[in-house]
Amino acid sequence: MKAALRTYHARMQRVLDHIDRHLDGDLDLETLSRVAAFSKFHFHRQFAATFGLSVHRYVQLARMRRASRQLAWNDAESVTDIAMDAGYDAPDAFARAFRQRFGQSPSSFRKSPDWAPWFAAFGPLDNARNNLMQINFTPDDVTIRDVPPTPVAIMEHRGDRATLGATIERFKAWCKAASLSPETGRSSFMVFRSERCPANPADYSMDLCVGTDQPIEVNDEGMKAGVIPGGRCAVLRYPGNTNNLEPAALYLYRDWLPDSGEEARDFPIYCQRRLSPIAEMPAHEVVVELFLPLK
């Protein structure tokens, strides 16, 4: 039964990957049901039951998330072109929908993004992917690896996760100015020093890191030099982007670690993203590895 469930969810994963690759294309029910190899008469109900939102709503949110990222990080593209890419016939309609969702006009968001409403707006999109993550892990997905120590530049985020987006934006700007953006082939890391949702939101804590051995000068952004320690780690590889690795971490701590006979080392769990710590790329182009340091 478990194997059948994994196969079912693998078919649904194909649908999400297809949507990521074809946001500019025709993503109607008939097309997506063919991708999943499900009956078109039942697919919309199967999708909603699996992900908690309709196909139309998922596609709409995915296109709007791409549009908001283009606004924040691509000054060369006009608001009109971004609106058209998001499936809107006119910039005015896009602006109304954008303001309703984020509380800012597209031009205002481009100048000074308010990330708290952004995170809240895309919660359903992240939850949809997390619904697959929560049941798809098995011991075969975890490998034990000896990793070398990695010198990094660190930007700390301390405080409510609702403000994390602003920290990420500063981190991205610093990396670009220091020629350490993903295009240079640098590794990027997130070190999770607290729960995703601590009882007191002010206790949320994580580090944004980029691999570099160059000297880090004192600056207004609060960057500092550090090291991701080497040693044995349990590594859970997750192909596809997610803004919530909590289900993967929960699997490692709750299921894999007790059965493995291993003991965790005194360093927080962390992830490495192949392309970017900010998830600018489509989900199918991102590979995330979650590292649990072991003794």
Side-chain angles (χ1 to χ4, degrees), residues 60 64 88 92-102 104:
Q60 186 182 52
M64 185 60 81
Y88 289 85
D92 288 348
F94 172 70
R96 285 194 299 272
F98 196 94
R99 183 184 290 277
Q100 183 179 22
R101 184 162 284 118
F102 304 115
Q104 288 183 282

Side-chain angles (χ1 to χ4, degrees), residues 219-238:
N219 61 82
D220 293 337
E221 299 299 338
M223 298 298 298
K224 66 179 185 179
V227 175
I228 302 292
R232 296 174 69 249
C233 290
V235 183
L236 178 56
R237 185 175 185 271
Y238 177 66

Side-chain angles (χ1 to χ4, degrees), residues 28 38 56 62 64 66 113 118 136 165 225 245 273 279:
D28 60 17
F38 288 132
H56 174 75
M64 185 60 81
R66 182 183 64 173
W118 190 92
N136 270 356
L245 288 169
R273 292 177 186 258

Side-chain angles (χ1 to χ4, degrees), residues 84-244:
M84 299 301 173
D85 289 343
Y88 289 85
D89 294 331
D92 288 348
F94 172 70
R96 285 194 299 272
F98 196 94
R99 183 184 290 277
Q100 183 179 22
R101 184 162 284 118
F102 304 115
Q104 288 183 282
S105 68
S107 58
S108 175
F109 185 86
R110 167 165 273 176
K111 293 176 183 176
S112 181
D114 184 355
W115 292 106
W118 190 92
F119 274 104
F122 294 115
L125 202 61
D126 295 329
N127 290 339
R129 286 188 170 276
N130 295 336
N131 285 344
L132 290 186
M133 289 181 65
Q134 290 179 28
I135 67 167
N136 270 356
F137 300 124
T138 72
D140 291 338
D141 296 321
V142 182
T143 59
I144 296 179
R145 189 185 307 170
D146 283 309
V147 301
T150 304
V152 293
I154 303 170
M155 177 179 287
E156 298 177 343
H157 176 87
R158 303 293 184 263
D160 197 329
R161 189 175 178 275
T163 64
L164 177 59
T167 305
I168 288 175
E169 179 69 7
R170 293 198 308 273
F171 178 74
K172 179 176 182 289
W174 184 90
C175 289
K176 185 175 182 180
S179 299
L180 296 174
S181 58
E183 294 79 16
T184 65
R186 301 284 178 169
S187 297
S188 59
F189 303 86
M190 289 181 171
V191 181
F192 304 106
R193 297 187 175 275
S194 74
E195 300 174 77
R196 176 180 171 86
C197 298
N200 180 0
D203 291 336
Y204 182 77
S205 176
M206 63 103 68
D207 298 339
L208 300 167
C209 310
V210 60
T212 179
D213 55 5
Q214 72 182 36
I216 307 300
E217 299 181 1
V218 177
N219 61 82
D220 293 337
E221 299 299 338
M223 298 298 298
K224 66 179 185 179
V227 175
I228 302 292
R232 296 174 69 249
C233 290
V235 183
L236 178 56
R237 185 175 185 271
Y238 177 66
N241 180 47
T242 177
N243 286 328
N244 181 9

Side-chain angles (χ1 to χ4, degrees), residues 28-39:
D28 60 17
L29 281 172
E30 185 167 355
T31 299
L32 295 179
S33 64
R34 285 200 305 268
V35 171
F38 288 132
S39 165

